[in-house]
Amino acid sequence: MEPKILKLKHPVGSGETAITELEFKGPLKGKHMKGVPAYGSLICMEHILMVGGRLCNQPPSVMNELQAEDMQAAIAITSGFLEGGPTIGQPPSE
């Protein structure tokens, strides 16, 4: 999968150290998913942001500061790398 670049609408940080874009690089590997509990085909938002941070080589402190619209875009990009694998959502009711 080709890298995906997300230009942040709300940069994280301040001054010269501000992060203005995230580059998500694939392919998704086991190291990206290590420690992520998955229940069937379900993965929670906290963990998908963790995987996204690993794909773009950013620490949790950066991913935790993403504002809502940038976070949603990061989740959408990360989900593309997870295609055919775990997804975000509620477990199906039985």
Side-chain angles (χ1 to χ4, degrees), residues 7-38:
K7 295 199 182 288
L8 299 177
K9 293 184 179 184
H10 308 279
V12 175
S14 60
E16 293 179 29
T17 60
I19 295 169
T20 59
E21 67 181 30
L22 300 175
E23 183 177 0
F24 295 80
K25 298 179 182 179
L28 184 70
K29 297 180 180 180
K31 66 181 181 180
H32 299 118
M33 297 297 292
K34 191 173 182 179
V36 175

PDB file of all heavy atoms in Angstrom, residues 7-38:
ATOM      1  N   LYS A   7      -2.647  16.090   5.785  1.00  0.00           N
ATOM      2  CA  LYS A   7      -2.290  17.463   6.167  1.00  0.00           C
ATOM      3  C   LYS A   7      -3.262  17.873   7.263  1.00  0.00           C
ATOM      4  O   LYS A   7      -4.468  17.910   7.047  1.00  0.00           O
ATOM      5  CB  LYS A   7      -2.367  18.396   4.972  1.00  0.00           C
ATOM      6  CG  LYS A   7      -1.337  18.036   3.908  1.00  0.00           C
ATOM      7  CD  LYS A   7      -1.099  19.178   2.966  1.00  0.00           C
ATOM      8  CE  LYS A   7      -0.113  18.811   1.897  1.00  0.00           C
ATOM      9  NZ  LYS A   7       1.244  18.693   2.358  1.00  0.00           N
ATOM     10  N   LEU A   8      -2.726  18.145   8.442  1.00  0.00           N
ATOM     11  CA  LEU A   8      -3.560  18.465   9.599  1.00  0.00           C
ATOM     12  C   LEU A   8      -4.191  19.843   9.463  1.00  0.00           C
ATOM     13  O   LEU A   8      -3.516  20.822   9.133  1.00  0.00           O
ATOM     14  CB  LEU A   8      -2.739  18.384  10.876  1.00  0.00           C
ATOM     15  CG  LEU A   8      -2.126  17.026  11.189  1.00  0.00           C
ATOM     16  CD1 LEU A   8      -1.267  17.110  12.456  1.00  0.00           C
ATOM     17  CD2 LEU A   8      -3.187  15.954  11.337  1.00  0.00           C
ATOM     18  N   LYS A   9      -5.475  19.918   9.722  1.00  0.00           N
ATOM     19  CA  LYS A   9      -6.169  21.204   9.738  1.00  0.00           C
ATOM     20  C   LYS A   9      -5.843  21.960  11.017  1.00  0.00           C
ATOM     21  O   LYS A   9      -5.960  23.174  11.071  1.00  0.00           O
ATOM     22  CB  LYS A   9      -7.670  20.991   9.591  1.00  0.00           C
ATOM     23  CG  LYS A   9      -8.028  20.438   8.227  1.00  0.00           C
ATOM     24  CD  LYS A   9      -9.507  20.312   8.041  1.00  0.00           C
ATOM     25  CE  LYS A   9      -9.767  19.784   6.633  1.00  0.00           C
ATOM     26  NZ  LYS A   9     -11.175  19.721   6.320  1.00  0.00           N
ATOM     27  N   HIS A  10      -5.455  21.210  12.043  1.00  0.00           N
ATOM     28  CA  HIS A  10      -5.101  21.783  13.344  1.00  0.00           C
ATOM     29  C   HIS A  10      -3.771  21.171  13.778  1.00  0.00           C
ATOM     30  O   HIS A  10      -3.754  20.105  14.398  1.00  0.00           O
ATOM     31  CB  HIS A  10      -6.192  21.474  14.378  1.00  0.00           C
ATOM     32  CG  HIS A  10      -7.554  21.862  13.922  1.00  0.00           C
ATOM     33  ND1 HIS A  10      -8.031  23.153  13.988  1.00  0.00           N
ATOM     34  CD2 HIS A  10      -8.545  21.124  13.345  1.00  0.00           C
ATOM     35  CE1 HIS A  10      -9.255  23.190  13.490  1.00  0.00           C
ATOM     36  NE2 HIS A  10      -9.589  21.983  13.091  1.00  0.00           N
ATOM     37  N   PRO A  11      -2.643  21.830  13.421  1.00  0.00           N
ATOM     38  CA  PRO A  11      -1.337  21.265  13.771  1.00  0.00           C
ATOM     39  C   PRO A  11      -1.214  20.977  15.271  1.00  0.00           C
ATOM     40  O   PRO A  11      -1.833  21.631  16.097  1.00  0.00           O
ATOM     41  CB  PRO A  11      -0.359  22.351  13.335  1.00  0.00           C
ATOM     42  CG  PRO A  11      -1.074  23.055  12.220  1.00  0.00           C
ATOM     43  CD  PRO A  11      -2.520  23.061  12.655  1.00  0.00           C
ATOM     44  N   VAL A  12      -0.401  19.976  15.549  1.00  0.00           N
ATOM     45  CA  VAL A  12      -0.157  19.560  16.930  1.00  0.00           C
ATOM     46  C   VAL A  12       1.176  20.140  17.359  1.00  0.00           C
ATOM     47  O   VAL A  12       2.164  20.050  16.647  1.00  0.00           O
ATOM     48  CB  VAL A  12      -0.124  18.022  17.042  1.00  0.00           C
ATOM     49  CG1 VAL A  12       0.242  17.591  18.441  1.00  0.00           C
ATOM     50  CG2 VAL A  12      -1.464  17.439  16.621  1.00  0.00           C
ATOM     51  N   GLY A  13       1.213  20.745  18.535  1.00  0.00           N
ATOM     52  CA  GLY A  13       2.434  21.362  19.036  1.00  0.00           C
ATOM     53  C   GLY A  13       2.402  22.852  18.796  1.00  0.00           C
ATOM     54  O   GLY A  13       1.364  23.425  18.491  1.00  0.00           O
ATOM     55  N   SER A  14       3.575  23.461  18.921  1.00  0.00           N
ATOM     56  CA  SER A  14       3.616  24.912  18.728  1.00  0.00           C
ATOM     57  C   SER A  14       4.962  25.325  18.146  1.00  0.00           C
ATOM     58  O   SER A  14       5.953  24.608  18.248  1.00  0.00           O
ATOM     59  CB  SER A  14       3.392  25.636  20.067  1.00  0.00           C
ATOM     60  OG  SER A  14       4.404  25.267  20.977  1.00  0.00           O
ATOM     61  N   GLY A  15       4.967  26.507  17.533  1.00  0.00           N
ATOM     62  CA  GLY A  15       6.201  27.056  16.984  1.00  0.00           C
ATOM     63  C   GLY A  15       6.817  26.169  15.917  1.00  0.00           C
ATOM     64  O   GLY A  15       6.130  25.561  15.117  1.00  0.00           O
ATOM     65  N   GLU A  16       8.151  26.097  15.922  1.00  0.00           N
ATOM     66  CA  GLU A  16       8.878  25.325  14.919  1.00  0.00           C
ATOM     67  C   GLU A  16       8.681  23.823  15.072  1.00  0.00           C
ATOM     68  O   GLU A  16       8.952  23.068  14.142  1.00  0.00           O
ATOM     69  CB  GLU A  16      10.361  25.667  14.986  1.00  0.00           C
ATOM     70  CG  GLU A  16      10.668  27.081  14.563  1.00  0.00           C
ATOM     71  CD  GLU A  16      12.146  27.399  14.651  1.00  0.00           C
ATOM     72  OE1 GLU A  16      12.970  26.470  14.497  1.00  0.00           O
ATOM     73  OE2 GLU A  16      12.465  28.564  14.872  1.00  0.00           O
ATOM     74  N   THR A  17       8.236  23.387  16.238  1.00  0.00           N
ATOM     75  CA  THR A  17       8.076  21.952  16.469  1.00  0.00           C
ATOM     76  C   THR A  17       6.672  21.464  16.119  1.00  0.00           C
ATOM     77  O   THR A  17       6.349  20.312  16.340  1.00  0.00           O
ATOM     78  CB  THR A  17       8.379  21.597  17.937  1.00  0.00           C
ATOM     79  OG1 THR A  17       7.475  22.302  18.781  1.00  0.00           O
ATOM     80  CG2 THR A  17       9.802  21.929  18.294  1.00  0.00           C
ATOM     81  N   ALA A  18       5.843  22.328  15.559  1.00  0.00           N
ATOM     82  CA  ALA A  18       4.475  21.944  15.228  1.00  0.00           C
ATOM     83  C   ALA A  18       4.475  20.861  14.152  1.00  0.00           C
ATOM     84  O   ALA A  18       5.217  20.920  13.178  1.00  0.00           O
ATOM     85  CB  ALA A  18       3.675  23.148  14.745  1.00  0.00           C
ATOM     86  N   ILE A  19       3.638  19.858  14.352  1.00  0.00           N
ATOM     87  CA  ILE A  19       3.467  18.790  13.373  1.00  0.00           C
ATOM     88  C   ILE A  19       2.272  19.178  12.512  1.00  0.00           C
ATOM     89  O   ILE A  19       1.166  19.350  13.011  1.00  0.00           O
ATOM     90  CB  ILE A  19       3.250  17.440  14.078  1.00  0.00           C
ATOM     91  CG1 ILE A  19       4.522  17.088  14.842  1.00  0.00           C
ATOM     92  CG2 ILE A  19       2.876  16.353  13.076  1.00  0.00           C
ATOM     93  CD1 ILE A  19       4.371  15.935  15.782  1.00  0.00           C
ATOM     94  N   THR A  20       2.523  19.354  11.212  1.00  0.00           N
ATOM     95  CA  THR A  20       1.494  19.837  10.302  1.00  0.00           C
ATOM     96  C   THR A  20       0.926  18.742   9.405  1.00  0.00           C
ATOM     97  O   THR A  20      -0.077  18.958   8.741  1.00  0.00           O
ATOM     98  CB  THR A  20       2.039  20.972   9.418  1.00  0.00           C
ATOM     99  OG1 THR A  20       3.162  20.468   8.680  1.00  0.00           O
ATOM    100  CG2 THR A  20       2.491  22.159  10.274  1.00  0.00           C
ATOM    101  N   GLU A  21       1.614  17.600   9.358  1.00  0.00           N
ATOM    102  CA  GLU A  21       1.116  16.487   8.565  1.00  0.00           C
ATOM    103  C   GLU A  21       1.586  15.167   9.144  1.00  0.00           C
ATOM    104  O   GLU A  21       2.570  15.113   9.884  1.00  0.00           O
ATOM    105  CB  GLU A  21       1.539  16.601   7.095  1.00  0.00           C
ATOM    106  CG  GLU A  21       3.021  16.465   6.845  1.00  0.00           C
ATOM    107  CD  GLU A  21       3.387  16.604   5.371  1.00  0.00           C
ATOM    108  OE1 GLU A  21       2.678  17.322   4.630  1.00  0.00           O
ATOM    109  OE2 GLU A  21       4.388  15.991   4.979  1.00  0.00           O
ATOM    110  N   LEU A  22       0.835  14.126   8.834  1.00  0.00           N
ATOM    111  CA  LEU A  22       1.181  12.775   9.250  1.00  0.00           C
ATOM    112  C   LEU A  22       1.325  11.935   7.994  1.00  0.00           C
ATOM    113  O   LEU A  22       0.466  11.984   7.109  1.00  0.00           O
ATOM    114  CB  LEU A  22       0.084  12.179  10.141  1.00  0.00           C
ATOM    115  CG  LEU A  22      -0.236  12.916  11.432  1.00  0.00           C
ATOM    116  CD1 LEU A  22      -1.426  12.257  12.122  1.00  0.00           C
ATOM    117  CD2 LEU A  22       0.973  12.960  12.354  1.00  0.00           C
ATOM    118  N   GLU A  23       2.408  11.173   7.904  1.00  0.00           N
ATOM    119  CA  GLU A  23       2.615  10.282   6.763  1.00  0.00           C
ATOM    120  C   GLU A  23       2.464   8.841   7.230  1.00  0.00           C
ATOM    121  O   GLU A  23       3.282   8.330   7.990  1.00  0.00           O
ATOM    122  CB  GLU A  23       3.991  10.483   6.139  1.00  0.00           C
ATOM    123  CG  GLU A  23       4.192   9.618   4.914  1.00  0.00           C
ATOM    124  CD  GLU A  23       5.532   9.839   4.225  1.00  0.00           C
ATOM    125  OE1 GLU A  23       6.331  10.663   4.691  1.00  0.00           O
ATOM    126  OE2 GLU A  23       5.764   9.172   3.211  1.00  0.00           O
ATOM    127  N   PHE A  24       1.397   8.218   6.783  1.00  0.00           N
ATOM    128  CA  PHE A  24       1.092   6.839   7.139  1.00  0.00           C
ATOM    129  C   PHE A  24       1.752   5.927   6.117  1.00  0.00           C
ATOM    130  O   PHE A  24       1.458   6.029   4.927  1.00  0.00           O
ATOM    131  CB  PHE A  24      -0.420   6.604   7.144  1.00  0.00           C
ATOM    132  CG  PHE A  24      -1.144   7.395   8.197  1.00  0.00           C
ATOM    133  CD1 PHE A  24      -1.448   8.729   8.000  1.00  0.00           C
ATOM    134  CD2 PHE A  24      -1.522   6.795   9.386  1.00  0.00           C
ATOM    135  CE1 PHE A  24      -2.120   9.463   8.960  1.00  0.00           C
ATOM    136  CE2 PHE A  24      -2.196   7.519  10.357  1.00  0.00           C
ATOM    137  CZ  PHE A  24      -2.497   8.849  10.150  1.00  0.00           C
ATOM    138  N   LYS A  25       2.641   5.054   6.592  1.00  0.00           N
ATOM    139  CA  LYS A  25       3.369   4.167   5.693  1.00  0.00           C
ATOM    140  C   LYS A  25       2.957   2.729   5.911  1.00  0.00           C
ATOM    141  O   LYS A  25       2.772   2.285   7.036  1.00  0.00           O
ATOM    142  CB  LYS A  25       4.872   4.298   5.923  1.00  0.00           C
ATOM    143  CG  LYS A  25       5.413   5.677   5.640  1.00  0.00           C
ATOM    144  CD  LYS A  25       6.886   5.750   5.921  1.00  0.00           C
ATOM    145  CE  LYS A  25       7.407   7.160   5.681  1.00  0.00           C
ATOM    146  NZ  LYS A  25       8.839   7.261   5.962  1.00  0.00           N
ATOM    147  N   GLY A  26       2.790   2.014   4.840  1.00  0.00           N
ATOM    148  CA  GLY A  26       2.458   0.596   4.913  1.00  0.00           C
ATOM    149  C   GLY A  26       3.595  -0.222   4.375  1.00  0.00           C
ATOM    150  O   GLY A  26       4.633   0.315   4.032  1.00  0.00           O
ATOM    151  N   PRO A  27       3.439  -1.488   4.319  1.00  0.00           N
ATOM    152  CA  PRO A  27       2.227  -2.230   4.643  1.00  0.00           C
ATOM    153  C   PRO A  27       2.098  -2.451   6.143  1.00  0.00           C
ATOM    154  O   PRO A  27       3.072  -2.344   6.887  1.00  0.00           O
ATOM    155  CB  PRO A  27       2.431  -3.563   3.916  1.00  0.00           C
ATOM    156  CG  PRO A  27       3.911  -3.760   3.955  1.00  0.00           C
ATOM    157  CD  PRO A  27       4.503  -2.373   3.818  1.00  0.00           C
ATOM    158  N   LEU A  28       0.882  -2.759   6.560  1.00  0.00           N
ATOM    159  CA  LEU A  28       0.610  -3.077   7.952  1.00  0.00           C
ATOM    160  C   LEU A  28       1.333  -4.376   8.288  1.00  0.00           C
ATOM    161  O   LEU A  28       1.269  -5.342   7.552  1.00  0.00           O
ATOM    162  CB  LEU A  28      -0.898  -3.246   8.164  1.00  0.00           C
ATOM    163  CG  LEU A  28      -1.351  -3.500   9.586  1.00  0.00           C
ATOM    164  CD1 LEU A  28      -1.161  -2.250  10.427  1.00  0.00           C
ATOM    165  CD2 LEU A  28      -2.800  -3.928   9.622  1.00  0.00           C
ATOM    166  N   LYS A  29       2.045  -4.361   9.418  1.00  0.00           N
ATOM    167  CA  LYS A  29       2.803  -5.540   9.852  1.00  0.00           C
ATOM    168  C   LYS A  29       2.412  -5.902  11.270  1.00  0.00           C
ATOM    169  O   LYS A  29       1.759  -5.127  11.963  1.00  0.00           O
ATOM    170  CB  LYS A  29       4.306  -5.250   9.793  1.00  0.00           C
ATOM    171  CG  LYS A  29       4.822  -4.957   8.408  1.00  0.00           C
ATOM    172  CD  LYS A  29       6.301  -4.689   8.441  1.00  0.00           C
ATOM    173  CE  LYS A  29       6.811  -4.387   7.039  1.00  0.00           C
ATOM    174  NZ  LYS A  29       8.246  -4.118   7.044  1.00  0.00           N
ATOM    175  N   GLY A  30       2.853  -7.066  11.683  1.00  0.00           N
ATOM    176  CA  GLY A  30       2.582  -7.523  13.041  1.00  0.00           C
ATOM    177  C   GLY A  30       3.049  -6.534  14.091  1.00  0.00           C
ATOM    178  O   GLY A  30       2.385  -6.333  15.106  1.00  0.00           O
ATOM    179  N   LYS A  31       4.187  -5.873  13.858  1.00  0.00           N
ATOM    180  CA  LYS A  31       4.714  -4.917  14.834  1.00  0.00           C
ATOM    181  C   LYS A  31       3.748  -3.753  15.065  1.00  0.00           C
ATOM    182  O   LYS A  31       3.726  -3.160  16.127  1.00  0.00           O
ATOM    183  CB  LYS A  31       6.082  -4.396  14.408  1.00  0.00           C
ATOM    184  CG  LYS A  31       6.068  -3.553  13.151  1.00  0.00           C
ATOM    185  CD  LYS A  31       7.470  -3.104  12.780  1.00  0.00           C
ATOM    186  CE  LYS A  31       7.469  -2.243  11.532  1.00  0.00           C
ATOM    187  NZ  LYS A  31       8.821  -1.811  11.191  1.00  0.00           N
ATOM    188  N   HIS A  32       2.946  -3.414  14.058  1.00  0.00           N
ATOM    189  CA  HIS A  32       1.971  -2.339  14.208  1.00  0.00           C
ATOM    190  C   HIS A  32       0.795  -2.759  15.082  1.00  0.00           C
ATOM    191  O   HIS A  32       0.186  -1.939  15.751  1.00  0.00           O
ATOM    192  CB  HIS A  32       1.458  -1.878  12.835  1.00  0.00           C
ATOM    193  CG  HIS A  32       2.525  -1.348  11.953  1.00  0.00           C
ATOM    194  ND1 HIS A  32       2.844  -1.944  10.753  1.00  0.00           N
ATOM    195  CD2 HIS A  32       3.369  -0.303  12.089  1.00  0.00           C
ATOM    196  CE1 HIS A  32       3.827  -1.258  10.181  1.00  0.00           C
ATOM    197  NE2 HIS A  32       4.170  -0.264  10.980  1.00  0.00           N
ATOM    198  N   MET A  33       0.471  -4.047  15.040  1.00  0.00           N
ATOM    199  CA  MET A  33      -0.697  -4.564  15.760  1.00  0.00           C
ATOM    200  C   MET A  33      -0.349  -5.160  17.122  1.00  0.00           C
ATOM    201  O   MET A  33      -1.238  -5.495  17.897  1.00  0.00           O
ATOM    202  CB  MET A  33      -1.396  -5.635  14.916  1.00  0.00           C
ATOM    203  CG  MET A  33      -1.964  -5.117  13.606  1.00  0.00           C
ATOM    204  SD  MET A  33      -3.254  -3.872  13.823  1.00  0.00           S
ATOM    205  CE  MET A  33      -4.554  -4.870  14.545  1.00  0.00           C
ATOM    206  N   LYS A  34       0.930  -5.263  17.427  1.00  0.00           N
ATOM    207  CA  LYS A  34       1.369  -5.889  18.672  1.00  0.00           C
ATOM    208  C   LYS A  34       0.736  -5.208  19.884  1.00  0.00           C
ATOM    209  O   LYS A  34       0.754  -3.992  20.020  1.00  0.00           O
ATOM    210  CB  LYS A  34       2.892  -5.814  18.780  1.00  0.00           C
ATOM    211  CG  LYS A  34       3.460  -6.652  19.874  1.00  0.00           C
ATOM    212  CD  LYS A  34       4.971  -6.667  19.799  1.00  0.00           C
ATOM    213  CE  LYS A  34       5.488  -7.560  20.902  1.00  0.00           C
ATOM    214  NZ  LYS A  34       6.939  -7.631  20.868  1.00  0.00           N
ATOM    215  N   GLY A  35       0.126  -6.028  20.725  1.00  0.00           N
ATOM    216  CA  GLY A  35      -0.487  -5.521  21.946  1.00  0.00           C
ATOM    217  C   GLY A  35      -1.896  -4.989  21.775  1.00  0.00           C
ATOM    218  O   GLY A  35      -2.490  -4.493  22.723  1.00  0.00           O
ATOM    219  N   VAL A  36      -2.443  -5.081  20.574  1.00  0.00           N
ATOM    220  CA  VAL A  36      -3.800  -4.595  20.322  1.00  0.00           C
ATOM    221  C   VAL A  36      -4.782  -5.735  20.554  1.00  0.00           C
ATOM    222  O   VAL A  36      -4.765  -6.721  19.827  1.00  0.00           O
ATOM    223  CB  VAL A  36      -3.949  -4.066  18.882  1.00  0.00           C
ATOM    224  CG1 VAL A  36      -5.397  -3.669  18.602  1.00  0.00           C
ATOM    225  CG2 VAL A  36      -3.016  -2.896  18.642  1.00  0.00           C
ATOM    226  N   PRO A  37      -5.621  -5.610  21.590  1.00  0.00           N
ATOM    227  CA  PRO A  37      -6.608  -6.669  21.791  1.00  0.00           C
ATOM    228  C   PRO A  37      -7.733  -6.524  20.765  1.00  0.00           C
ATOM    229  O   PRO A  37      -8.272  -5.442  20.576  1.00  0.00           O
ATOM    230  CB  PRO A  37      -7.124  -6.417  23.210  1.00  0.00           C
ATOM    231  CG  PRO A  37      -6.895  -4.958  23.435  1.00  0.00           C
ATOM    232  CD  PRO A  37      -5.689  -4.583  22.609  1.00  0.00           C
ATOM    233  N   ALA A  38      -8.027  -7.584  20.079  1.00  0.00           N
ATOM    234  CA  ALA A  38      -9.114  -7.571  19.109  1.00  0.00           C
ATOM    235  C   ALA A  38     -10.106  -8.652  19.497  1.00  0.00           C
ATOM    236  O   ALA A  38      -9.717  -9.756  19.853  1.00  0.00           O
ATOM    237  CB  ALA A  38      -8.587  -7.800  17.701  1.00  0.00           C
TER     238      ALA A  38
END
